[in-house]
Amino acid sequence: KDSEFYNSYPIKPGFEFFQALIFARKFLGQLNVHIPESLCVTEGCYLLYYDFERKRLIRKENCRPSEFVEKMFQRNPKLTAEDHAACVVRSLDPQKPYKMKTRLMGWKEAWDYLQAGPDPMTIVQRYIKSYGSRLGVTRLVYYPPNSPTGKNNLVTNVLNKYLFKETDVDPNHRYLLGYDIPGSFEVFNASGKAINEYIAIGERIVAFLRKVMGLKIHHVVLEMIRD
């Protein structure tokens, strides 16, 4: 889309949601949403992760990349140098603030990158492999009950064309969705009781953004992975 499309939006896609998480000290514990272990580098270095025992998000400031690696291994102790998908690095594109550059890293490359120190305005996340033989993502377009649009919530499943085991295909195409590559994925409408779980997540995130940023939200678009 045009680079000025999101200029009037109070919160833009990508980095700004994670900035809201970083600075939401008072309300962060109320956001019961699972996110992968994340190292967020802004003017400081912050670690975000979900504590399954306490059922809440945890934020730690002034953290070292080694702490992120430790948390990552706690969740996935089987990581090896041969792994093609250990981390996803998302960096802010100054030319397109609404769009983040996404880069997949194997474990060896990720370790070298973290040792050198992540770039500013970057998020490094543990890669979450979806359930099944291909990457699958559930996309929710959530409209709050008081949204002036009057539209209904929409839940779709996006399925990658390539199998995880297709070793002759670039790992970036197997482990990430190429939304800008025509024909590389399929989209199906979701139905059944399972969609209520996704809608509940949308409700919690909208309530969080209202409290933290004082926003009146018409709708949000979220993507979730079931591992």
Side-chain angles (χ1 to χ4, degrees):
K1 293 187 177 183
D2 184 83
S3 60
E4 298 182 357
F5 180 83
Y6 289 103
N7 284 355
S8 62
Y9 280 48
I11 182 168
K12 300 172 181 59
F15 210 89
E16 290 192 15
F17 175 69
F18 284 89
Q19 286 182 315
L21 294 178
I22 288 171
F23 297 114
R25 302 187 183 199
K26 184 177 180 181
F27 300 108
L28 188 61
Q30 301 176 23
L31 183 61
N32 184 14
V33 173
H34 299 180
I35 67 168
E37 293 72 32
S38 304
L39 184 69
C40 304
V41 184
T42 56
E43 64 275 7
C45 195
Y46 301 85
L47 176 64
L48 290 169
Y49 65 93
Y50 186 81
D51 188 318
F52 284 88
E53 292 184 359
R54 298 162 67 184
K55 295 183 178 179
R56 56 164 291 178
L57 282 174
I58 303 296
R59 165 194 175 275
K60 184 175 181 182
E61 58 184 295
N62 300 321
C63 74
R64 301 182 303 275
S66 59
E67 295 176 82
F68 166 71
V69 172
E70 181 181 345
K71 284 293 179 186
M72 198 167 66
F73 267 99
Q74 286 178 4
R75 296 293 299 152
N76 187 5
K78 296 181 180 180
L79 275 174
T80 69
E82 287 71 39
D83 273 295
H84 292 296
C87 292
V88 176
V89 179
R90 308 179 195 277
S91 56
L92 196 64
D93 184 345
Q95 304 302 319
K96 298 179 180 179
Y98 62 89
K99 185 176 182 181
M100 301 188 74
K101 297 178 181 177
T102 303
R103 178 181 175 190
L104 180 74
M105 287 189 179
W107 170 236
K108 185 179 184 305
E109 183 183 7
W111 174 248
D112 291 341
Y113 176 78
L114 291 166
Q115 287 283 88
D119 299 323
M121 304 305 285
T122 296
I123 300 169
V124 186
Q125 293 182 306
R126 178 173 66 88
Y127 181 81
I128 305 295
K129 187 178 181 181
S130 65
Y131 175 80
S133 59
R134 293 186 284 173
L135 173 59
V137 169
T138 298
R139 170 172 280 215
L140 165 67
V141 182
Y142 174 73
Y143 297 92
N146 60 349
S147 172
T149 62
K151 294 182 179 179
N152 295 323
N153 299 319
L154 176 64
V155 183
T156 55
N157 293 319
V158 185
L159 191 62
N160 198 17
K161 170 184 176 181
Y162 303 104
L163 298 172
F164 287 125
K165 66 180 182 181
E166 291 188 67
T167 54
D168 57 330
V169 177
D170 187 313
N172 282 280
H173 295 157
R174 287 184 282 143
Y175 292 97
L176 299 176
L177 284 171
Y179 284 121
D180 56 344
I181 305 175
S184 65
F185 59 89
E186 300 173 280
V187 180
F188 307 92
N189 287 331
S191 60
K193 295 181 179 179
I195 66 173
N196 293 328
E197 179 182 351
Y198 298 113
I199 291 173
I201 293 172
E203 291 174 347
R204 293 198 292 270
I205 290 178
V206 166
F208 169 79
L209 290 174
R210 282 175 173 163
K211 287 180 179 178
V212 174
M213 305 188 76
L215 298 176
K216 183 178 181 180
I217 296 176
H218 290 184
H219 70 280
V220 294
V221 180
L222 306 168
E223 288 188 344
M224 291 159 276
I225 291 178
R226 187 181 294 277
D227 60 3

